[in-house]
Amino acid sequence: EALQSSYEMLQMVMENIPQYIIWKDTDLSYLGCNDNYANLIGIEHPENIIDKTDEELLWDKMQIGYNRKQERRVIESNKAVFHSVETWSLRNGDIIWIDINRIPLPNSDGKVAGLLITFEDITERKKAEENLRMQHERLERIMETNPAGILLTDTNGRIIYVNSQAEK
């Protein structure tokens, strides 16, 4: 009963966190995933992914090749890769940004028996970063092309920015 209860709790945790979760064997065949990942790739039930490969489930050949290379590297090195920022192609053609972790799963002998992959969609954060970068560049152009000298200081009176007119 305790084992069953623990398993049910683990299932509930996996289905209620916002990340996408996948686990594969060393041949890179899927052993399972959470609902988020199943929905992302258009699979009705997570158990329908078992024993399938990326070639059978994904649509972007370049992404499939890239994933395979990264996953093989983790399995062969037995070293996890955390917070790799990558793009992911959706079936509708949209591209999202993801923050992905690839973690080798050892068996009782310490040998790699599989691979755990977790990722989250960081597209909105990347868009906000790009928007902030563009606004920063725009402000910098305005400051540099302004005929007046501009000097910015922090609350302690330290100079934090001087445009070229103020330098002159």
Side-chain angles (χ1 to χ4, degrees):
E1 281 183 34
L3 185 59
Q4 180 64 28
S5 177
S6 179
Y7 174 77
E8 288 171 2
M9 180 61 77
L10 177 60
Q11 279 297 118
M12 191 167 43
V13 167
M14 283 194 346
E15 299 311 331
N16 287 290
I17 60 174
Q19 286 78 18
Y20 301 87
I21 304 172
I22 311 158
W23 53 103
K24 296 180 176 183
D25 62 22
T26 55
D27 293 325
L28 303 180
S29 292
Y30 286 91
L31 297 172
C33 70
N34 68 350
D35 281 338
N36 288 344
Y37 185 74
N39 292 334
L40 181 72
I41 65 168
I43 299 294
E44 192 171 340
H45 302 289
E47 53 273 8
N48 294 345
I49 203 171
I50 296 171
D51 290 331
K52 300 234 184 328
T53 64
D54 282 348
E55 288 80 4
E56 296 171 272
L57 298 171
L58 303 181
W59 41 91
D60 184 321
K61 299 293 182 210
M62 287 181 51
Q63 183 173 334
I64 292 167
Y66 179 82
N67 289 352
R68 181 170 287 283
K69 181 178 175 186
Q70 299 308 312
E71 292 164 8
R72 280 264 156 249
R73 183 177 298 154
V74 168
I75 289 170
E76 290 167 7
S77 71
N78 196 10
K79 288 190 171 51
V81 175
F82 296 104
H83 301 294
S84 178
V85 175
E86 302 173 7
T87 57
W88 186 278
S89 301
L90 300 178
R91 192 174 295 277
N92 66 7
D94 289 347
I95 304 291
I96 62 171
W97 287 91
I98 61 171
D99 180 344
I100 189 166
N101 306 296
R102 293 181 178 95
I103 305 158
L105 297 173
N107 62 18
S108 59
D109 297 331
K111 293 188 167 128
V112 178
L115 182 67
L116 174 66
I117 302 166
T118 66
F119 63 93
E120 63 182 302
D121 183 345
I122 59 168
T123 304
E124 291 306 312
R125 183 176 79 192
K126 292 296 278 182
K127 286 179 181 177
E129 287 172 359
E130 178 62 16
N131 186 29
L132 186 60
R133 185 191 62 75
M134 287 173 48
Q135 289 186 23
H136 177 78
E137 287 176 2
R138 184 178 305 129
L139 178 60
E140 207 168 73
R141 280 194 308 274
I142 291 168
M143 301 282 266
E144 281 304 315
T145 58
N146 194 314
I150 300 173
L151 176 98
L152 299 175
T153 61
D154 65 14
T155 56
N156 295 321
R158 288 183 289 235
I159 297 172
I160 56 174
Y161 177 81
V162 176
N163 74 350
S164 55
Q165 285 300 99
E167 283 180 350
K168 289 178 187 175

